[in-house]
Amino acid sequence: MSKRKMRFFLALAWFFLSCMSAALAQNIAIDSVFPDTTQIFISVSNVKDLSDHWQQTALYATLAAPQYQEFRDSIRQQIETAWPNRLGLNLQDFTTLPSGEIAGGLIAQPGKKPGFAVMMNVDGNAAEVNEFLMRLIRKTTENQRGSAAKERIVIGRQSVEATALSFPDKETGVVRTAYYVALPQLLIAADQKYLVELLLGRLAGEKLNPLANRPEYQAILARCAQDAKSTARPQIKFFLNPLAAGEAIRSLVPQDQLKGQSPFMVLAKQGFGGVAGVGGTIDFATESYECVYRVKVYIPQPMTRALKTLSFTNVDALVHPQWIGANATRYTLLSFNPLVTFNNVGPLFDEFVETEGAWNDVIDSFEKDKLGPQVNLRADLFANFGRQISSTNAFDPEKVSDGEKFVFALNIIEGKEQATAEALRKMFEPDPDVTQITLAGAEFWQYSPQKGGRATRPTGVRPIRSTRPSATRPTAESIAASDAPEAELIKGSVFGVAKGALYVSNDAQYLQKKLAETANPNDSILNQPEHKIAIQRLAQEPAIVNGLFLLGYARNIDGLRENYELFRRGMIPQGKTLSARLLNAALAPADQQGARTAKFDGSTLPPFDESIVQNIGFSLLFGVVENDGFFLKGFSVNPAK
């Protein structure tokens, strides 16, 4: 081929790719390029627009205060150091490279190793993209740690140059390769070469069913758009197929590290494959909200098998129990049918323990074992329960390590309180590791293992030790002696029947305080100014016209204070709050021995100052059961606006 023809060919190829990427940048959303085998997908419609809206929130204004400068610098550096960096992108790259949409996801093509891909519109940022690639090449090849090479990726009759970087994983030493293609208006990065070929092929016009055409993806985004008051594109949208995504991620774990059968396969067999998708949208500083998110759990067909355990039911109104109190940090009210859940959990239990009939054996042991409690769990316990769970919690900033004190209450059908209390007595009185105590004049049971010493009881709580012989069944002590997660969860727990409900708490003193709440309307959370605004907002929501099954309320300042203090004092690993447990997974992962060490240092945070966060307001969450699944919406409101 002559040089003139070669130049013409290269110019034609460049023109072809320029037009191809320009079409995407101007007309085609990235979800029309990613394939329908994308199992996790998240997209920011416009990075600058998202940043502008985030900067309009009260939380941003708080963190932007001068006293947080040292913390901002410190945490930014810590995140950069800890960032997994699977594709070499750091946090700054996500803000400086894209000029429009940026999206990424996990793609699991049949017969291929699942991989991650990122695509972004970089129109006008050619210099930044070039500097990014040069920086990656230098970083990869320095000290001969990795290698960089150029590869040609063929698309039909054309070919595109890709930068291939190979580098060892910081944790395992396994060499990974990432591929980058810089088009005139696009940047593509992926950890599998076939993914780059797949995305480029779609851009070149190859017929490929995209994610945007998946019925579940369309249904989820359509439901969120129906609820939105604004017609603007959502700032963030996300989607996942829970079981397929979980199985794909599991397949990336070395076989020698996998234990037992796949939990995702088990759930699929037991009906949870009926959850076709979960997704939604997130927006900041829009529709008079500080933040608003919408989530759709899409279940297009009637629930089958163990999926029926999600037996949520809409009601006209959820009842706020008096014991929630005026000063509750937050509360959650949930309507469901516990008996339906009980009746459908058996096959799932059997599948997980890999023993057919195991659940029925457990049920029979409670009822028919001569040394057992002689309790029919279905008839004597679960049939007595009503349809609402209520919960609340509190946090003592002077005792950060104690974590949250919570109370859960499941209401009991009127007239069934005594029968329920008697069933609990039969179940727990013989157990040497459970102590009978009295709270607010009612009988309760507290897990207080004798191995290692007696549990400390709160003032005014009367212990009563049983003298009945032990039953031939597992005791709380045997659970606590194991390494199972439930051992930690039940330590110090208190449970019993009082005032028409079954109560469970992690702190007897806190439960006793809640049971003593008076019926004075002035002490009700319903009478608090911010809560009144929240309920007024809720009443305006069209989604609840047929009732709701979930309602949650939180004063943002309380939730922020809790985790703020844990983080500032380096106590996230010891945190006992639910949110702290979630933070532990990300910020303080357990080592092979189960010990946790804080991954991030928050010591540069100044002491919590309530005055600078007084406008962060409250959050409200509600959920409704729909014909094709569940719709949930949450929003945060600044009352000052």
Side-chain angles (χ1 to χ4, degrees), residues 78-94 116 118 132 135-137 139-140 142 145 165-171 174 176-180 189-191 599:
Q78 292 182 65
I79 292 175
E80 292 290 1
T81 301
W83 188 254
N85 220 24
R86 192 176 185 90
L87 294 175
L89 291 158
N90 61 37
L91 294 183
Q92 186 175 359
D93 294 330
F94 285 104
F116 296 88
V118 172
F132 161 72
R135 187 187 77 227
L136 276 186
I137 292 173
K139 188 174 181 179
T140 302
E142 67 183 5
R145 289 179 57 254
L165 303 179
S166 298
F167 42 89
D169 185 276
K170 291 187 298 184
E171 301 292 336
V174 175
R176 295 187 286 108
T177 301
Y179 299 86
Y180 308 85
D191 64 355
K599 195 172 183 179

mmCIF file of all heavy atoms in Angstrom, residues 78-94 116 118 132 135-137 139-140 142 145 165-171 174 176-180 189-191 599:
data_model
loop_
_atom_site.group_PDB
_atom_site.id
_atom_site.type_symbol
_atom_site.label_atom_id
_atom_site.label_comp_id
_atom_site.label_asym_id
_atom_site.label_seq_id
_atom_site.Cartn_x
_atom_site.Cartn_y
_atom_site.Cartn_z
ATOM 1 N N GLN A 78 -5.880 10.027 52.248
ATOM 2 C CA GLN A 78 -6.111 8.660 52.711
ATOM 3 C C GLN A 78 -6.931 7.862 51.699
ATOM 4 O O GLN A 78 -6.658 6.685 51.453
ATOM 5 C CB GLN A 78 -6.827 8.685 54.055
ATOM 6 C CG GLN A 78 -5.981 9.221 55.193
ATOM 7 C CD GLN A 78 -6.735 9.181 56.509
ATOM 8 O OE1 GLN A 78 -7.076 8.103 57.015
ATOM 9 N NE2 GLN A 78 -7.022 10.351 57.066
ATOM 10 N N ILE A 79 -7.933 8.501 51.109
ATOM 11 C CA ILE A 79 -8.761 7.812 50.120
ATOM 12 C C ILE A 79 -7.932 7.462 48.895
ATOM 13 O O ILE A 79 -8.039 6.361 48.345
ATOM 14 C CB ILE A 79 -9.981 8.673 49.744
ATOM 15 C CG1 ILE A 79 -10.937 8.783 50.934
ATOM 16 C CG2 ILE A 79 -10.704 8.082 48.546
ATOM 17 C CD1 ILE A 79 -12.108 9.710 50.708
ATOM 18 N N GLU A 80 -7.090 8.394 48.467
ATOM 19 C CA GLU A 80 -6.248 8.127 47.301
ATOM 20 C C GLU A 80 -5.334 6.935 47.560
ATOM 21 O O GLU A 80 -5.102 6.102 46.681
ATOM 22 C CB GLU A 80 -5.411 9.358 46.956
ATOM 23 C CG GLU A 80 -6.209 10.539 46.434
ATOM 24 C CD GLU A 80 -6.780 10.302 45.041
ATOM 25 O OE1 GLU A 80 -6.567 9.206 44.485
ATOM 26 O OE2 GLU A 80 -7.457 11.196 44.524
ATOM 27 N N THR A 81 -4.814 6.843 48.796
ATOM 28 C CA THR A 81 -3.909 5.746 49.139
ATOM 29 C C THR A 81 -4.637 4.410 49.181
ATOM 30 O O THR A 81 -4.111 3.377 48.751
ATOM 31 C CB THR A 81 -3.249 6.016 50.509
ATOM 32 O OG1 THR A 81 -2.536 7.255 50.440
ATOM 33 C CG2 THR A 81 -2.286 4.900 50.881
ATOM 34 N N ALA A 82 -5.878 4.429 49.711
ATOM 35 C CA ALA A 82 -6.634 3.186 49.888
ATOM 36 C C ALA A 82 -7.459 2.801 48.671
ATOM 37 O O ALA A 82 -7.990 1.700 48.600
ATOM 38 C CB ALA A 82 -7.562 3.322 51.097
ATOM 39 N N TRP A 83 -7.588 3.717 47.704
ATOM 40 C CA TRP A 83 -8.432 3.475 46.534
ATOM 41 C C TRP A 83 -8.000 2.198 45.812
ATOM 42 O O TRP A 83 -6.819 2.021 45.507
ATOM 43 C CB TRP A 83 -8.322 4.679 45.592
ATOM 44 C CG TRP A 83 -9.254 4.676 44.436
ATOM 45 C CD1 TRP A 83 -8.937 4.424 43.136
ATOM 46 C CD2 TRP A 83 -10.654 4.965 44.446
ATOM 47 N NE1 TRP A 83 -10.042 4.529 42.346
ATOM 48 C CE2 TRP A 83 -11.118 4.858 43.114
ATOM 49 C CE3 TRP A 83 -11.562 5.289 45.448
ATOM 50 C CZ2 TRP A 83 -12.453 5.076 42.772
ATOM 51 C CZ3 TRP A 83 -12.878 5.500 45.101
ATOM 52 C CH2 TRP A 83 -13.312 5.398 43.788
ATOM 53 N N PRO A 84 -8.922 1.265 45.530
ATOM 54 C CA PRO A 84 -8.552 0.004 44.886
ATOM 55 C C PRO A 84 -7.836 0.187 43.547
ATOM 56 O O PRO A 84 -6.997 -0.616 43.169
ATOM 57 C CB PRO A 84 -9.905 -0.701 44.691
ATOM 58 C CG PRO A 84 -10.790 -0.094 45.713
ATOM 59 C CD PRO A 84 -10.351 1.326 45.850
ATOM 60 N N ASN A 85 -8.197 1.247 42.807
ATOM 61 C CA ASN A 85 -7.462 1.611 41.599
ATOM 62 C C ASN A 85 -7.419 0.493 40.564
ATOM 63 O O ASN A 85 -6.404 0.261 39.913
ATOM 64 C CB ASN A 85 -6.033 2.012 41.969
ATOM 65 C CG ASN A 85 -5.550 3.198 41.157
ATOM 66 O OD1 ASN A 85 -6.353 3.974 40.660
ATOM 67 N ND2 ASN A 85 -4.259 3.335 41.028
ATOM 68 N N ARG A 86 -8.528 -0.214 40.426
ATOM 69 C CA ARG A 86 -8.551 -1.331 39.490
ATOM 70 C C ARG A 86 -8.282 -0.883 38.062
ATOM 71 O O ARG A 86 -7.693 -1.621 37.268
ATOM 72 C CB ARG A 86 -9.920 -2.025 39.574
ATOM 73 C CG ARG A 86 -9.953 -3.376 38.866
ATOM 74 C CD ARG A 86 -11.287 -4.065 39.061
ATOM 75 N NE ARG A 86 -11.263 -5.393 38.484
ATOM 76 C CZ ARG A 86 -10.902 -6.485 39.134
ATOM 77 N NH1 ARG A 86 -10.518 -6.403 40.387
ATOM 78 N NH2 ARG A 86 -10.900 -7.670 38.542
ATOM 79 N N LEU A 87 -8.691 0.327 37.717
ATOM 80 C CA LEU A 87 -8.473 0.849 36.375
ATOM 81 C C LEU A 87 -7.528 2.050 36.365
ATOM 82 O O LEU A 87 -7.413 2.738 35.361
ATOM 83 C CB LEU A 87 -9.815 1.238 35.731
ATOM 84 C CG LEU A 87 -10.775 0.084 35.458
ATOM 85 C CD1 LEU A 87 -12.104 0.604 34.953
ATOM 86 C CD2 LEU A 87 -10.176 -0.897 34.465
ATOM 87 N N GLY A 88 -6.865 2.285 37.492
ATOM 88 C CA GLY A 88 -5.906 3.375 37.533
ATOM 89 C C GLY A 88 -6.510 4.751 37.678
ATOM 90 O O GLY A 88 -5.787 5.748 37.698
ATOM 91 N N LEU A 89 -7.819 4.850 37.780
ATOM 92 C CA LEU A 89 -8.484 6.147 37.922
ATOM 93 C C LEU A 89 -8.488 6.557 39.388
ATOM 94 O O LEU A 89 -8.920 5.790 40.254
ATOM 95 C CB LEU A 89 -9.923 6.057 37.417
ATOM 96 C CG LEU A 89 -10.097 5.869 35.905
ATOM 97 C CD1 LEU A 89 -11.464 5.271 35.608
ATOM 98 C CD2 LEU A 89 -9.941 7.199 35.187
ATOM 99 N N ASN A 90 -8.010 7.774 39.683
ATOM 100 C CA ASN A 90 -8.121 8.256 41.044
ATOM 101 C C ASN A 90 -9.339 9.171 41.157
ATOM 102 O O ASN A 90 -10.018 9.459 40.162
ATOM 103 C CB ASN A 90 -6.830 8.958 41.502
ATOM 104 C CG ASN A 90 -6.498 10.170 40.647
ATOM 105 O OD1 ASN A 90 -7.390 10.911 40.210
ATOM 106 N ND2 ASN A 90 -5.210 10.402 40.413
ATOM 107 N N LEU A 91 -9.627 9.632 42.363
ATOM 108 C CA LEU A 91 -10.839 10.419 42.577
ATOM 109 C C LEU A 91 -10.840 11.701 41.751
ATOM 110 O O LEU A 91 -11.875 12.121 41.239
ATOM 111 C CB LEU A 91 -10.984 10.754 44.063
ATOM 112 C CG LEU A 91 -11.220 9.556 44.993
ATOM 113 C CD1 LEU A 91 -11.416 10.037 46.419
ATOM 114 C CD2 LEU A 91 -12.423 8.745 44.539
ATOM 115 N N GLN A 92 -9.677 12.339 41.634
ATOM 116 C CA GLN A 92 -9.612 13.580 40.878
ATOM 117 C C GLN A 92 -9.925 13.351 39.406
ATOM 118 O O GLN A 92 -10.540 14.202 38.757
ATOM 119 C CB GLN A 92 -8.227 14.217 41.029
ATOM 120 C CG GLN A 92 -8.126 15.600 40.395
ATOM 121 C CD GLN A 92 -6.786 16.248 40.657
ATOM 122 O OE1 GLN A 92 -5.928 15.679 41.324
ATOM 123 N NE2 GLN A 92 -6.602 17.448 40.123
ATOM 124 N N ASP A 93 -9.521 12.186 38.881
ATOM 125 C CA ASP A 93 -9.791 11.887 37.470
ATOM 126 C C ASP A 93 -11.288 11.887 37.175
ATOM 127 O O ASP A 93 -11.714 12.263 36.081
ATOM 128 C CB ASP A 93 -9.197 10.527 37.085
ATOM 129 C CG ASP A 93 -7.677 10.524 37.132
ATOM 130 O OD1 ASP A 93 -7.082 11.590 36.892
ATOM 131 O OD2 ASP A 93 -7.091 9.469 37.432
ATOM 132 N N PHE A 94 -12.076 11.449 38.140
ATOM 133 C CA PHE A 94 -13.518 11.393 37.926
ATOM 134 C C PHE A 94 -14.139 12.789 37.822
ATOM 135 O O PHE A 94 -15.264 12.928 37.351
ATOM 136 C CB PHE A 94 -14.195 10.612 39.061
ATOM 137 C CG PHE A 94 -13.997 9.124 38.972
ATOM 138 C CD1 PHE A 94 -13.109 8.483 39.809
ATOM 139 C CD2 PHE A 94 -14.672 8.372 38.039
ATOM 140 C CE1 PHE A 94 -12.916 7.111 39.739
ATOM 141 C CE2 PHE A 94 -14.494 7.003 37.947
ATOM 142 C CZ PHE A 94 -13.606 6.365 38.801
ATOM 143 N N PHE A 116 -14.954 -5.099 34.633
ATOM 144 C CA PHE A 116 -15.436 -3.745 34.910
ATOM 145 C C PHE A 116 -15.030 -2.813 33.770
ATOM 146 O O PHE A 116 -13.923 -2.906 33.239
ATOM 147 C CB PHE A 116 -14.856 -3.231 36.224
ATOM 148 C CG PHE A 116 -15.282 -4.016 37.422
ATOM 149 C CD1 PHE A 116 -14.561 -5.125 37.834
ATOM 150 C CD2 PHE A 116 -16.416 -3.659 38.139
ATOM 151 C CE1 PHE A 116 -14.949 -5.866 38.940
ATOM 152 C CE2 PHE A 116 -16.809 -4.387 39.243
ATOM 153 C CZ PHE A 116 -16.077 -5.497 39.648
ATOM 154 N N VAL A 118 -15.456 1.425 32.309
ATOM 155 C CA VAL A 118 -15.854 2.819 32.528
ATOM 156 C C VAL A 118 -15.807 3.527 31.190
ATOM 157 O O VAL A 118 -14.893 3.304 30.384
ATOM 158 C CB VAL A 118 -14.905 3.531 33.519
ATOM 159 C CG1 VAL A 118 -15.205 5.028 33.575
ATOM 160 C CG2 VAL A 118 -15.026 2.925 34.911
ATOM 161 N N PHE A 132 -3.436 12.142 31.664
ATOM 162 C CA PHE A 132 -3.862 10.999 32.470
ATOM 163 C C PHE A 132 -3.175 9.719 32.005
ATOM 164 O O PHE A 132 -2.627 8.958 32.821
ATOM 165 C CB PHE A 132 -5.385 10.853 32.375
ATOM 166 C CG PHE A 132 -5.914 9.505 32.754
ATOM 167 C CD1 PHE A 132 -5.923 9.091 34.084
ATOM 168 C CD2 PHE A 132 -6.412 8.632 31.790
ATOM 169 C CE1 PHE A 132 -6.415 7.841 34.434
ATOM 170 C CE2 PHE A 132 -6.908 7.388 32.138
ATOM 171 C CZ PHE A 132 -6.908 6.991 33.465
ATOM 172 N N ARG A 135 0.541 9.789 32.797
ATOM 173 C CA ARG A 135 0.755 9.578 34.224
ATOM 174 C C ARG A 135 0.628 8.102 34.582
ATOM 175 O O ARG A 135 1.426 7.550 35.349
ATOM 176 C CB ARG A 135 -0.254 10.397 35.027
ATOM 177 C CG ARG A 135 -0.003 10.370 36.538
ATOM 178 C CD ARG A 135 -1.121 11.051 37.306
ATOM 179 N NE ARG A 135 -2.284 10.191 37.387
ATOM 180 C CZ ARG A 135 -3.529 10.583 37.138
ATOM 181 N NH1 ARG A 135 -3.776 11.817 36.756
ATOM 182 N NH2 ARG A 135 -4.525 9.734 37.265
ATOM 183 N N LEU A 136 -0.381 7.436 33.998
ATOM 184 C CA LEU A 136 -0.564 6.013 34.270
ATOM 185 C C LEU A 136 0.625 5.196 33.774
ATOM 186 O O LEU A 136 1.083 4.271 34.452
ATOM 187 C CB LEU A 136 -1.844 5.505 33.593
ATOM 188 C CG LEU A 136 -3.163 5.705 34.329
ATOM 189 C CD1 LEU A 136 -4.281 5.017 33.573
ATOM 190 C CD2 LEU A 136 -3.100 5.166 35.742
ATOM 191 N N ILE A 137 1.102 5.529 32.593
ATOM 192 C CA ILE A 137 2.241 4.791 32.037
ATOM 193 C C ILE A 137 3.469 4.969 32.923
ATOM 194 O O ILE A 137 4.171 4.001 33.244
ATOM 195 C CB ILE A 137 2.531 5.256 30.592
ATOM 196 C CG1 ILE A 137 1.379 4.827 29.665
ATOM 197 C CG2 ILE A 137 3.855 4.685 30.095
ATOM 198 C CD1 ILE A 137 1.482 5.386 28.266
ATOM 199 N N LYS A 139 3.551 5.777 36.128
ATOM 200 C CA LYS A 139 3.330 5.133 37.419
ATOM 201 C C LYS A 139 3.424 3.617 37.315
ATOM 202 O O LYS A 139 3.915 2.942 38.222
ATOM 203 C CB LYS A 139 1.958 5.537 37.970
ATOM 204 C CG LYS A 139 1.703 5.077 39.398
ATOM 205 C CD LYS A 139 0.393 5.631 39.922
ATOM 206 C CE LYS A 139 0.150 5.190 41.354
ATOM 207 N NZ LYS A 139 -1.115 5.732 41.899
ATOM 208 N N THR A 140 2.941 3.071 36.202
ATOM 209 C CA THR A 140 2.946 1.620 36.023
ATOM 210 C C THR A 140 4.351 1.081 35.807
ATOM 211 O O THR A 140 4.707 0.009 36.309
ATOM 212 C CB THR A 140 2.050 1.228 34.834
ATOM 213 O OG1 THR A 140 0.730 1.704 35.060
ATOM 214 C CG2 THR A 140 2.008 -0.282 34.653
ATOM 215 N N GLU A 142 7.318 2.624 36.572
ATOM 216 C CA GLU A 142 8.383 3.052 37.474
ATOM 217 C C GLU A 142 8.860 1.888 38.323
ATOM 218 O O GLU A 142 8.084 1.051 38.777
ATOM 219 C CB GLU A 142 7.918 4.208 38.358
ATOM 220 C CG GLU A 142 6.835 3.840 39.340
ATOM 221 C CD GLU A 142 6.342 5.040 40.149
ATOM 222 O OE1 GLU A 142 6.777 6.178 39.877
ATOM 223 O OE2 GLU A 142 5.500 4.821 41.045
ATOM 224 N N ARG A 145 7.851 -2.040 38.046
ATOM 225 C CA ARG A 145 6.740 -2.732 38.708
ATOM 226 C C ARG A 145 5.735 -3.284 37.715
ATOM 227 O O ARG A 145 5.090 -4.282 37.962
ATOM 228 C CB ARG A 145 6.029 -1.775 39.669
ATOM 229 C CG ARG A 145 6.833 -1.430 40.910
ATOM 230 C CD ARG A 145 6.073 -0.453 41.810
ATOM 231 N NE ARG A 145 4.785 -0.975 42.208
ATOM 232 C CZ ARG A 145 3.619 -0.543 41.713
ATOM 233 N NH1 ARG A 145 3.593 0.416 40.792
ATOM 234 N NH2 ARG A 145 2.495 -1.059 42.134
ATOM 235 N N LEU A 165 -1.939 -1.632 30.093
ATOM 236 C CA LEU A 165 -1.060 -1.511 31.247
ATOM 237 C C LEU A 165 -1.197 -2.751 32.121
ATOM 238 O O LEU A 165 -2.316 -3.144 32.491
ATOM 239 C CB LEU A 165 -1.402 -0.272 32.068
ATOM 240 C CG LEU A 165 -1.358 1.080 31.341
ATOM 241 C CD1 LEU A 165 -1.747 2.200 32.290
ATOM 242 C CD2 LEU A 165 0.014 1.332 30.751
ATOM 243 N N SER A 166 -0.078 -3.357 32.444
ATOM 244 C CA SER A 166 -0.076 -4.530 33.318
ATOM 245 C C SER A 166 0.656 -4.179 34.599
ATOM 246 O O SER A 166 1.774 -3.638 34.557
ATOM 247 C CB SER A 166 0.612 -5.716 32.636
ATOM 248 O OG SER A 166 -0.092 -6.091 31.465
ATOM 249 N N PHE A 167 0.037 -4.466 35.729
ATOM 250 C CA PHE A 167 0.657 -4.113 37.004
ATOM 251 C C PHE A 167 0.198 -5.098 38.074
ATOM 252 O O PHE A 167 -0.903 -5.655 38.012
ATOM 253 C CB PHE A 167 0.301 -2.683 37.426
ATOM 254 C CG PHE A 167 -1.133 -2.309 37.203
ATOM 255 C CD1 PHE A 167 -2.083 -2.542 38.180
ATOM 256 C CD2 PHE A 167 -1.536 -1.745 35.999
ATOM 257 C CE1 PHE A 167 -3.408 -2.206 37.967
ATOM 258 C CE2 PHE A 167 -2.862 -1.404 35.785
ATOM 259 C CZ PHE A 167 -3.800 -1.631 36.772
ATOM 260 N N PRO A 168 1.060 -5.342 39.081
ATOM 261 C CA PRO A 168 0.703 -6.289 40.144
ATOM 262 C C PRO A 168 -0.267 -5.667 41.136
ATOM 263 O O PRO A 168 -0.150 -4.487 41.471
ATOM 264 C CB PRO A 168 2.054 -6.593 40.814
ATOM 265 C CG PRO A 168 2.872 -5.370 40.567
ATOM 266 C CD PRO A 168 2.436 -4.838 39.230
ATOM 267 N N ASP A 169 -1.208 -6.460 41.583
ATOM 268 C CA ASP A 169 -2.143 -6.018 42.606
ATOM 269 C C ASP A 169 -1.402 -5.771 43.915
ATOM 270 O O ASP A 169 -0.561 -6.578 44.325
ATOM 271 C CB ASP A 169 -3.233 -7.079 42.815
ATOM 272 C CG ASP A 169 -4.304 -6.630 43.786
ATOM 273 O OD1 ASP A 169 -4.089 -6.791 45.000
ATOM 274 O OD2 ASP A 169 -5.343 -6.120 43.336
ATOM 275 N N LYS A 170 -1.702 -4.634 44.585
ATOM 276 C CA LYS A 170 -0.994 -4.271 45.810
ATOM 277 C C LYS A 170 -1.192 -5.306 46.916
ATOM 278 O O LYS A 170 -0.305 -5.520 47.734
ATOM 279 C CB LYS A 170 -1.472 -2.901 46.297
ATOM 280 C CG LYS A 170 -1.050 -1.748 45.421
ATOM 281 C CD LYS A 170 -1.414 -0.406 46.045
ATOM 282 C CE LYS A 170 -2.899 -0.230 46.222
ATOM 283 N NZ LYS A 170 -3.265 1.119 46.738
ATOM 284 N N GLU A 171 -2.355 -5.951 46.947
ATOM 285 C CA GLU A 171 -2.668 -6.875 48.034
ATOM 286 C C GLU A 171 -2.172 -8.293 47.750
ATOM 287 O O GLU A 171 -1.578 -8.933 48.609
ATOM 288 C CB GLU A 171 -4.180 -6.892 48.289
ATOM 289 C CG GLU A 171 -4.767 -5.532 48.658
ATOM 290 C CD GLU A 171 -4.306 -5.048 50.019
ATOM 291 O OE1 GLU A 171 -3.938 -5.908 50.846
ATOM 292 O OE2 GLU A 171 -4.294 -3.829 50.250
ATOM 293 N N VAL A 174 -0.973 -10.476 42.250
ATOM 294 C CA VAL A 174 -1.430 -10.989 40.961
ATOM 295 C C VAL A 174 -1.376 -9.871 39.916
ATOM 296 O O VAL A 174 -1.809 -8.748 40.170
ATOM 297 C CB VAL A 174 -2.874 -11.529 41.079
ATOM 298 C CG1 VAL A 174 -3.393 -11.958 39.703
ATOM 299 C CG2 VAL A 174 -2.923 -12.691 42.059
ATOM 300 N N ARG A 176 -2.461 -7.736 36.935
ATOM 301 C CA ARG A 176 -3.703 -7.393 36.252
ATOM 302 C C ARG A 176 -3.396 -6.491 35.067
ATOM 303 O O ARG A 176 -2.409 -5.755 35.066
ATOM 304 C CB ARG A 176 -4.659 -6.672 37.210
ATOM 305 C CG ARG A 176 -5.138 -7.537 38.364
ATOM 306 C CD ARG A 176 -6.213 -6.828 39.184
ATOM 307 N NE ARG A 176 -5.640 -5.768 40.017
ATOM 308 C CZ ARG A 176 -5.809 -4.477 39.777
ATOM 309 N NH1 ARG A 176 -6.503 -4.073 38.711
ATOM 310 N NH2 ARG A 176 -5.277 -3.568 40.565
ATOM 311 N N THR A 177 -4.253 -6.555 34.081
ATOM 312 C CA THR A 177 -4.086 -5.726 32.888
ATOM 313 C C THR A 177 -5.324 -4.881 32.684
ATOM 314 O O THR A 177 -6.451 -5.362 32.832
ATOM 315 C CB THR A 177 -3.843 -6.589 31.638
ATOM 316 O OG1 THR A 177 -2.674 -7.391 31.835
ATOM 317 C CG2 THR A 177 -3.620 -5.712 30.410
ATOM 318 N N ALA A 178 -5.111 -3.624 32.381
ATOM 319 C CA ALA A 178 -6.216 -2.704 32.087
ATOM 320 C C ALA A 178 -5.984 -2.102 30.710
ATOM 321 O O ALA A 178 -4.835 -1.904 30.287
ATOM 322 C CB ALA A 178 -6.292 -1.611 33.146
ATOM 323 N N TYR A 179 -7.076 -1.833 30.021
ATOM 324 C CA TYR A 179 -7.010 -1.332 28.641
ATOM 325 C C TYR A 179 -7.704 0.021 28.566
ATOM 326 O O TYR A 179 -8.759 0.228 29.170
ATOM 327 C CB TYR A 179 -7.694 -2.325 27.693
ATOM 328 C CG TYR A 179 -7.039 -3.687 27.694
ATOM 329 C CD1 TYR A 179 -7.395 -4.646 28.643
ATOM 330 C CD2 TYR A 179 -6.068 -4.013 26.756
ATOM 331 C CE1 TYR A 179 -6.796 -5.897 28.664
ATOM 332 C CE2 TYR A 179 -5.462 -5.261 26.764
ATOM 333 C CZ TYR A 179 -5.831 -6.198 27.724
ATOM 334 O OH TYR A 179 -5.228 -7.429 27.742
ATOM 335 N N TYR A 180 -7.095 0.930 27.792
ATOM 336 C CA TYR A 180 -7.611 2.286 27.653
ATOM 337 C C TYR A 180 -7.641 2.663 26.181
ATOM 338 O O TYR A 180 -6.670 2.443 25.452
ATOM 339 C CB TYR A 180 -6.725 3.285 28.412
ATOM 340 C CG TYR A 180 -6.493 2.894 29.848
ATOM 341 C CD1 TYR A 180 -5.473 2.004 30.194
ATOM 342 C CD2 TYR A 180 -7.302 3.393 30.861
ATOM 343 C CE1 TYR A 180 -5.266 1.633 31.507
ATOM 344 C CE2 TYR A 180 -7.098 3.026 32.188
ATOM 345 C CZ TYR A 180 -6.087 2.135 32.502
ATOM 346 O OH TYR A 180 -5.887 1.758 33.801
ATOM 347 N N ALA A 189 -12.209 2.668 29.480
ATOM 348 C CA ALA A 189 -11.261 1.903 30.289
ATOM 349 C C ALA A 189 -11.941 0.621 30.737
ATOM 350 O O ALA A 189 -13.115 0.632 31.117
ATOM 351 C CB ALA A 189 -10.800 2.718 31.507
ATOM 352 N N ALA A 190 -11.213 -0.489 30.678
ATOM 353 C CA ALA A 190 -11.786 -1.772 31.081
ATOM 354 C C ALA A 190 -10.669 -2.696 31.540
ATOM 355 O O ALA A 190 -9.511 -2.538 31.149
ATOM 356 C CB ALA A 190 -12.558 -2.409 29.924
ATOM 357 N N ASP A 191 -11.031 -3.664 32.371
ATOM 358 C CA ASP A 191 -10.024 -4.608 32.843
ATOM 359 C C ASP A 191 -10.027 -5.908 32.046
ATOM 360 O O ASP A 191 -9.333 -6.857 32.401
ATOM 361 C CB ASP A 191 -10.211 -4.891 34.341
ATOM 362 C CG ASP A 191 -11.527 -5.586 34.657
ATOM 363 O OD1 ASP A 191 -12.354 -5.770 33.743
ATOM 364 O OD2 ASP A 191 -11.743 -5.939 35.839
ATOM 365 N N LYS A 599 -9.347 1.726 58.916
ATOM 366 C CA LYS A 599 -8.637 1.918 57.656
ATOM 367 C C LYS A 599 -8.354 3.390 57.411
ATOM 368 O O LYS A 599 -7.421 3.746 56.705
ATOM 369 C CB LYS A 599 -9.481 1.335 56.518
ATOM 370 C CG LYS A 599 -8.737 1.142 55.210
ATOM 371 C CD LYS A 599 -9.610 0.392 54.216
ATOM 372 C CE LYS A 599 -8.872 0.124 52.920
ATOM 373 N NZ LYS A 599 -9.711 -0.624 51.950
#
